Amino acid sequence: MNATEPRRRWWPRSVRARTALAAASAAAVILAGIGWWLHHDVHRRSMQIAEDQAKNQLWALAGQLDQGVIPDSTSVVPYEVVATGRRTAVASGGAISHAYPDSHHVMPAPPPAGGIAEMPPTTVRLPPNPDYDSKDPLDMAGGIHQVETADIFSGDLSADEAAALGVTTGVTLRVYVVVLPYTAEAITGTTDRLLIRAGLFGLVLIAAVTYFSVRVALRPVEAIRVLTASVTASDPRERVTVPTTGHEITALATTINSTLQRLDNAAAQQRRFVADAAHELRSPLTTLLASLEVALAYPERTDWPAAVTTAARQTRRLQSLAEDLLLLARLDTRTTPKAAPDTVDLTALASRLTEQYPLTERPLTLTCDSTEPAHAHGDPDEYERLLRNLVDNAARHAERRIRITVRNHDAWVVLTVHDDGPGVPTEDAERIFERFVRLDDARSRDHGGTGLGLAIARDLAHRHRGTLTLAARPRGACFRLRLPRVPAPAPGNARTASAGGVR
């Protein structure tokens, strides 16, 4: 195999095959444990039955001998009756005579323990007989067997009963009954074969049922995959079918539809943003181009200072719009706040902006109301841009007065910018934070800003783990900024906004 070729994996890639293999493996372990337990339990119970049968035969033989009756040789269970002092067996049956013709004292003497009630079966090894036909069902040609024994004293018999048995009085008759394990082993073997066949069939059945069950369960997933693959960035309007079963596939379909809806909204917002940006850029570019073309067409009649002033004003507007767009692009790509070690004093920042803010177009009063320093983590330049955007927006709508307040409320710093202008309708309280939104469509774009100031301010607030909302007031607009409060830094340990000026 080439070294560059990927190594083949024995584990299947299909979820259906993996699940079926895992289910069959688990079932195989369970069935193996059950089979092992059944094998030993069946063998134990079968041997117990054989022992009970041998004991019953032993008691029956002992009863016949006590009455001086020679037992019947056609017994199913092998047995032998031996008398002390005699070279041949008194009686035998159950195929033991066929295995050992003319045998005597075949069985060994039992241990010196007492009678049958207390003595457990004795394990013995019978001597092999090479002339014995091993095809006999009762294979007694040799091997390890168990025997049940009992002693009977002929002294308890009458002379006639002892003579009928062919023994003399005073001898001991010993009865041996063999406990054959063949039946137990045959039953166990048959059970093992049945268990193996049933187990193999069960494993195949479990694997097949699992495979097709998972296949049916994954059909909605395949449909979701096919439909999701057809979704493109330019047209994310497709939606997957939500099953009515209410299981995990339903949750998956609902989540995918929510994701597709967000993608659709993002794509629509991006298209709207591009269209608005193009529209905003077209207006100053058209004014600038028209002014320059007229000046070039009629140079001798052109008021060049006025033309240059118009061109400069439109260029500044283009520059401001380009800077706002670049800032929004940077904010969109930085989804998590930057870990800034700087601590900014918002009270000092607001106070300095109040002193240095230019109010030349209209007579406005800009005041700052604060009682103590208010510190927050973040970038001083970004806080400055946020506050300046709020003040710029208030300056365009205020009639006479703009008020900035800074307060510490528990774990938050709350900064508000309130003007005495016409205010914002309640239904537009969130819309004004969208990009390129102007509530006064009749207002001149030259004096109305780019429509990005409040959107930038909210993005900067979110970037610093804060919020920017429009608070309800009976008159004017009041923007409320909430930022996490931090303890005041030790002198010289961190840079604060009070260390520099406002641009």
Side-chain angles (χ1 to χ4, degrees), residues 119-257:
M119 187 173 60
T122 303
T123 301
V124 299
R125 182 181 296 274
L126 299 179
N129 185 354
D131 299 329
Y132 177 67
D133 185 6
S134 61
K135 295 181 180 180
D136 194 289
L138 300 177
D139 186 1
M140 296 287 294
I144 298 176
H145 304 275
Q146 292 180 334
V147 294
E148 297 280 356
T149 63
D151 289 343
I152 298 174
F153 295 96
S154 62
D156 297 334
L157 302 175
S158 64
D160 295 336
E161 292 173 345
L165 294 174
V167 297
T168 60
T169 58
V171 300
T172 301
L173 296 178
R174 183 171 294 122
V175 182
Y176 296 88
V177 178
V178 180
V179 181
L180 295 176
Y182 304 120
T183 303
E185 293 175 357
I187 294 175
T188 304
T190 303
T191 305
D192 291 343
R193 288 189 293 271
L194 291 175
L195 288 176
I196 292 175
R197 295 173 184 173
L200 292 178
F201 176 77
L203 290 179
V204 174
L205 181 61
I206 291 173
V209 170
T210 304
Y211 181 88
F212 288 104
S213 298
V214 175
R215 183 179 180 180
V216 172
L218 290 180
R219 283 179 181 173
V221 178
E222 178 64 18
I224 292 174
R225 185 197 66 79
V226 173
L227 189 59
T228 307
S230 64
V231 177
T232 60
S234 60
D235 187 18
R237 291 175 295 179
E238 292 286 348
R239 298 294 182 269
V240 301
T241 303
V242 179
T244 59
T245 53
H247 49 53
E248 292 81 358
I249 306 299
T250 302
L252 174 63
T254 304
T255 303
I256 290 179
N257 281 340

Side-chain angles (χ1 to χ4, degrees), residues 373-384:
H375 296 91
H377 277 316
D379 187 347
D381 294 336
E382 293 184 355
Y383 279 134
E384 174 194 329

